[in-house]
Amino acid sequence: MDIRTYPDPVLKAHAKPVENIDGELQGLIDRMLEIMYGAPGIGLAANQVGVLKRVIVFDKSPREEGRDPAVLINPEIVVGEDTIRWEEACLSVVDFSAEVVRRAQVTVRGFDRYEKPVDMEAEELLAVCLQHEIDHLNGTLFIDHISSLKRALYKKKLKKREKET
Ligand code: NI
């Protein structure tokens, strides 16, 4: 299982709701956490490892001692308030970052890995991370939120890199 990178079509696909939190899903979650910490990144969606299931994992401070891994299954944003601009990057969008406008505070509803319903309130970095990861489940990347001019520049840069390697 590897991190899929743009323009892999799996990143454009819509992930399906999880119906059973079974052993296979637990294995997927463990593997996703491993990959996220290995990167390291603050969040990862199942699409990014080529699995079209609505699962995200995240940890605001993956580099620090005392990790705090979190998992949300079938996450949904139920409340979003105010706006915030945030410089975003993504493990699936190599060597690029850009400012994106997001909701500043969100409430996200879903299930944890033990099938417990979760209502999570988040702001700033965590709010941005949750919106970014849930976007992945809907086939949306942060570069879909930037201007077409900036996106074209990124595509050009990527083409140039491909030629060099
Ligand atoms: Ni991402």
Side-chain angles (χ1 to χ4, degrees):
M1 213 177 243
D2 290 319
I3 296 178
R4 305 294 187 92
T5 56
Y6 177 84
D8 190 316
V10 77
L11 298 170
K12 282 269 157 204
H14 203 93
K16 293 200 175 62
V18 171
E19 283 168 6
N20 291 304
I21 302 178
D22 54 14
E24 196 189 329
L25 197 84
Q26 298 293 350
L28 172 68
I29 290 166
D30 289 337
R31 191 76 190 100
M32 283 173 64
L33 285 167
E34 216 175 283
I35 290 171
M36 179 184 79
Y37 285 121
I42 61 166
L44 193 72
N47 299 46
Q48 292 181 275
V49 293
V51 179
L52 291 173
K53 288 183 180 169
R54 301 188 79 80
V55 178
I56 62 172
V57 298
F58 49 96
D59 185 339
K60 274 197 303 188
S61 2
R63 288 182 184 84
E64 284 167 23
E65 293 280 310
R67 286 173 173 179
D68 184 20
V71 176
L72 274 176
I73 297 161
N74 299 343
E76 263 179 277
I77 296 166
V78 289
V79 181
E81 285 172 338
D82 301 330
T83 56
I84 193 171
R85 299 182 74 88
W86 206 274
E87 183 83 13
E88 292 187 29
C90 177
L91 296 173
S92 294
V93 180
V94 181
D95 279 348
F96 188 68
S97 67
E99 264 196 0
V100 178
V101 177
R102 298 281 192 184
R103 290 294 181 189
Q105 295 104 31
V106 293
T107 303
V108 177
R109 186 167 291 167
F111 290 87
D112 71 9
R113 65 189 300 175
Y114 309 106
E115 295 188 45
K116 202 179 118 207
V118 177
D119 254 345
M120 186 178 282
E121 283 177 28
E123 55 179 22
E124 300 197 332
L125 174 64
L126 186 57
V128 169
C129 170
L130 288 167
Q131 289 166 87
H132 177 121
E133 300 314 329
I134 293 170
D135 262 4
H136 273 300
L137 303 179
N138 296 324
T140 302
L141 298 173
F142 81 92
I143 51 173
D144 295 316
H145 292 294
I146 64 177
S147 72
S148 48
L149 176 73
K150 276 190 194 157
R151 197 163 46 244
L153 285 173
Y154 176 62
K155 287 182 185 173
K156 208 170 153 186
K157 186 178 162 185
L158 207 62
K159 276 218 176 96
K160 201 175 155 226
R161 271 175 57 110
E162 274 166 21
K163 271 184 202 156
E164 282 165 1
T165 51

